[in-house]
């Protein structure tokens, strides 16, 4: 075990962890941040996507070692059920979730895109979101929600 200091959603979190522990396990089992989901464990579905230093990453494949000093953001940073952020609100309005399992990962991948490119076109959105899968088939509604936020002016959070 080693002490690893994670900066998650703006809070510094010193944790005693195995260095090779996937970030997903630290978030869920040690910090009780359950938004990111375990899907495939292979980085193929995207249910575990979080943002590390402004890049979407698969938390199931990202070891905690090496994350010292990096800014980690989870879906919990975007808003709450009572006060959803703009992207969350668009997903709700467009009914982009069915089972909801992929949605946290979809939101985080979309958030990372919109922070880098405030007004992406549909092709850019589709290419960027290709790393995340929705088994319920709501991809079109997810894309519509992202396009809605991309067309708005104002803050993303």
């Amino acid at each position: 075990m080693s002490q690893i200091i994670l900066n998650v959603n703006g809070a510094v979190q010193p944790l005693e962890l195995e260095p090779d522990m996937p970030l997903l396990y630290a978030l869920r089992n040690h910090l009780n941040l359950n938004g990111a989901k375990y899907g495939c464990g292979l980085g193929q579905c995207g249910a575990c996507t979080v943002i590390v230093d402004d890049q979407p990453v698969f938390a199931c494949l990202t070891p905690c070692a090496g994350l010292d000093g990096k800014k980690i953001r989870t879906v919990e940073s975007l808003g709450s059920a009572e006060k959803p952020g703009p992207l969350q609100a668009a997903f709700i309005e467009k009914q982009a979730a069915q089972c909801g399992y992929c949605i946290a990962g979809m939101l985080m991948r979309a958030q990372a895109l919109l922070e880098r490119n405030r007004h992406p076109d549909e092709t850019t959105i589709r290419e960027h979101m290709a790393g995340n899968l929705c088994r319920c088939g709501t991809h079109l509604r997810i894309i519509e929600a992202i396009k809605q936020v991309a067309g708005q002016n104002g803050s993303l959070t």
Side-chain angles (χ1 to χ4, degrees), residues 113-130:
L113 170 64
L114 293 171
E115 288 175 1
R116 280 196 317 271
N117 179 352
R118 190 66 183 96
H119 301 287
D121 60 26
E122 185 169 333
T123 300
T124 301
I125 293 169
R126 286 177 179 272
E127 288 172 0
H128 182 81
M129 297 302 293

Side-chain angles (χ1 to χ4, degrees), residues 35 37-38 47 95-104 106 133-138 141-142:
K37 304 292 188 246
Y38 181 88
Q95 297 181 354
Q98 279 191 17
C99 82
Y101 205 79
C102 70
I103 293 303
M106 291 285 191
L133 302 176
C134 172
R135 289 182 172 95
C136 296
T138 63
R141 287 183 265 169
I142 291 167

Side-chain angles (χ1 to χ4, degrees), residues 11-145:
V12 175
Q13 304 284 351
L15 300 170
E16 288 292 324
L17 304 171
E18 293 295 334
D20 62 347
M21 176 183 283
L23 175 59
L24 179 63
Y25 299 163
L27 294 172
R28 293 181 61 82
N29 300 336
H30 296 273
L31 298 176
N32 296 314
L33 295 170
N34 295 311
K37 304 292 188 246
Y38 181 88
C40 65
L42 301 170
Q44 295 177 347
C45 73
C48 65
T49 303
V50 298
I51 298 174
V52 176
D53 282 349
D54 302 320
Q55 296 297 315
V57 301
F58 299 127
C60 72
L61 297 179
T62 305
C64 289
L67 292 176
D68 284 334
K70 297 186 185 246
K71 293 178 183 174
I72 302 162
R73 290 186 295 154
T74 68
V75 71
E76 289 88 353
S77 72
L78 299 184
S80 65
E82 299 78 27
K83 189 172 191 245
L87 195 54
Q88 291 168 313
F91 271 58
I92 293 166
E93 181 181 325
K94 297 295 182 182
Q95 297 181 354
Q98 279 191 17
C99 82
Y101 205 79
C102 70
I103 293 303
M106 291 285 191
L107 283 163
M108 295 313 289
R109 182 166 294 278
Q111 183 76 20
L113 170 64
L114 293 171
E115 288 175 1
R116 280 196 317 271
N117 179 352
R118 190 66 183 96
H119 301 287
D121 60 26
E122 185 169 333
T123 300
T124 301
I125 293 169
R126 286 177 179 272
E127 288 172 0
H128 182 81
M129 297 302 293
N132 288 53
L133 302 176
C134 172
R135 289 182 172 95
C136 296
T138 63
H139 288 94
L140 295 177
R141 287 183 265 169
I142 291 167
I143 291 167
E144 288 303 313

Side-chain angles (χ1 to χ4, degrees), residues 141-154:
R141 287 183 265 169
I142 291 167
I143 291 167
E144 288 303 313
I146 297 166
K147 284 172 39 180
Q148 177 178 309
V149 175
Q152 297 172 352
N153 292 320

